[in-house]
Amino acid sequence: MKKMKITKILASLLLVFVLGVAPTVTLAEPTETQEGTVLPKPSVPTPVVDEAGLFSSSVKSQLIDSLKALSNFNGSQVVIVTVNSLNGLDKSEYAYTLGDEWGIGQKGTDNGVVILIKPKTGDTAEGKGQVFIATGRGSEGVLTDAFCSDLVNDVMIPKFKENDYEGAVLEVVKIIAPMMRGEYSMDDYLKKKKQEDAVTAWMGSTFCCLWPFLLIFWYYFLRRTYIPKRRFTYTGSGSSWSSRYYDDDDYGSSRSSSSWSSSSSSGGGYSYGGGSFGGGGAGGSW
């Protein structure tokens, strides 16, 4: 009799445990860090989704303004996404899946680009930094796989290794946004870059040979001839002082400095256009 009571008590406790735990298990909602998934589409579409927190507010605003202006110009969409984890996916698969699920680019023209960045967090395989530029079918003619590879390996990763994520992304957007607006082609850019590299190399080698003579020339000629002596005037009162300087040949006319400012606008609303991705692009790791 006592044995039967113990059995009933144990059965009751087991039932209570199952009823209390089972609903928690069956009703669990998937999260954005679930294996095999990408970030959910933002409720408010934006060209910059910085989950990893790599950009300052000013740089983020600058990127958003530039990429919104591109989208408003001809519908081309470049979306920059930073993540803390690829959730078990390859970087290319993550970028393509995200581009398709979010619908980046315009439906029918598929002129979207995803720049996916997972920052380096350690020397292990999981901590390795990852980057991928995915192009929609309509963008592959403007940004070929080989060109995307050059951008990743020659522009982005060298800056990433110095922890300069902002500089890398700003430089890439500066390159590809005018190309997607049709201001110049990829061939035009490569030709211009080759010329600039040649000029830079020539100037570097020339300066290395001539800098001692230039230093002597500056000291004995320019410094004694063109740099004016400074005469200071008191323009303040009490303990507050300020100074201006004048040329000996033109005393009485003060120097002035110039300043510049720039402004930008977001160019109205922004929404993803329903584009899709076909496997173009390139990536790398560091």
Side-chain angles (χ1 to χ4, degrees):
M1 191 71 176
K2 182 183 289 187
K3 187 175 182 180
M4 289 181 62
K5 288 182 178 181
I6 295 175
T7 303
K8 287 182 179 180
I9 293 173
L10 291 175
S12 300
L13 291 174
L14 179 62
L15 181 61
V16 170
F17 176 78
V18 171
L19 292 176
V21 174
T24 304
V25 175
T26 56
L27 296 177
E29 294 291 335
T31 65
E32 63 185 36
T33 58
Q34 186 176 356
E35 288 293 302
T37 64
V38 301
L39 280 178
K41 182 179 178 179
S43 56
V44 178
T46 174
V48 180
V49 178
D50 186 22
E51 186 208 29
L54 302 181
F55 310 135
S56 65
S57 58
S58 60
V59 168
K60 186 175 180 180
S61 296
Q62 183 179 345
L63 290 169
I64 289 174
D65 286 347
S66 177
L67 297 178
K68 279 186 176 182
L70 171 64
S71 180
N72 291 333
F73 180 74
N74 62 4
S76 298
Q77 292 187 328
V78 177
V79 175
I80 302 164
V81 180
T82 74
V83 296
N84 292 309
S85 172
L86 297 179
N87 298 337
L89 297 175
D90 179 77
K91 54 183 174 290
S92 60
E93 183 182 5
Y94 194 111
Y96 296 140
T97 302
L98 185 144
D100 283 331
E101 291 187 1
W102 292 16
I104 296 170
Q106 304 305 314
K107 186 175 182 179
T109 57
D110 299 327
N111 52 351
V113 175
V114 174
I115 301 178
L116 174 69
I117 302 169
K118 185 260 173 192
K120 184 174 182 177
T121 57
D123 295 327
T124 63
E126 293 182 356
K128 184 181 296 185
Q130 305 280 358
V131 58
F132 196 88
I133 300 177
T135 55
R137 294 177 179 87
S139 300
E140 293 176 11
V142 180
L143 303 175
T144 65
D145 294 354
F147 185 68
C148 289
S149 180
D150 289 342
L151 290 177
V152 167
N153 293 295
D154 298 339
V155 178
M156 302 186 79
I157 289 182
K159 290 184 180 293
F160 288 161
K161 288 181 177 179
E162 298 176 356
N163 210 36
D164 185 11
Y165 292 96
E166 293 182 338
V169 174
L170 287 170
E171 183 67 19
V172 166
V173 170
K174 181 181 177 181
I175 293 171
I176 67 176
M179 294 175 64
M180 298 190 74
R181 285 195 297 266
E183 295 180 9
Y184 54 78
S185 67
M186 179 183 64
D187 291 337
D188 293 335
Y189 168 78
L190 293 174
K191 183 179 179 180
K192 181 180 179 182
K193 184 176 184 298
K194 186 176 180 180
Q195 293 173 343
E196 290 176 348
D197 291 344
V199 171
T200 301
W202 178 84
M203 291 180 64
S205 60
T206 302
F207 180 78
C208 288
C209 296
L210 297 181
W211 76 265
F213 302 100
L214 294 174
L215 184 62
I216 294 172
F217 176 78
W218 177 85
Y219 183 80
Y220 284 101
F221 182 73
L222 292 179
R223 186 173 181 273
R224 297 189 175 188
T225 305
Y226 290 105
I227 297 180
K229 295 180 180 179
R230 295 189 176 185
R231 298 178 182 175
F232 293 92
T233 61
Y234 167 65
T235 59
S237 60
S239 61
S240 176
W241 285 79
S242 65
S243 63
R244 295 184 300 174
Y245 72 89
Y246 303 91
D247 292 347
D248 284 341
D249 295 334
D250 190 24
Y251 192 82
S253 62
S254 62
R255 298 274 185 170
S256 62
S257 60
S258 61
S259 61
W260 60 273
S261 61
S262 62
S263 60
S264 60
S265 61
S266 59
Y270 183 88
S271 63
Y272 306 131
S276 61
F277 287 71
S285 58
W286 72 99

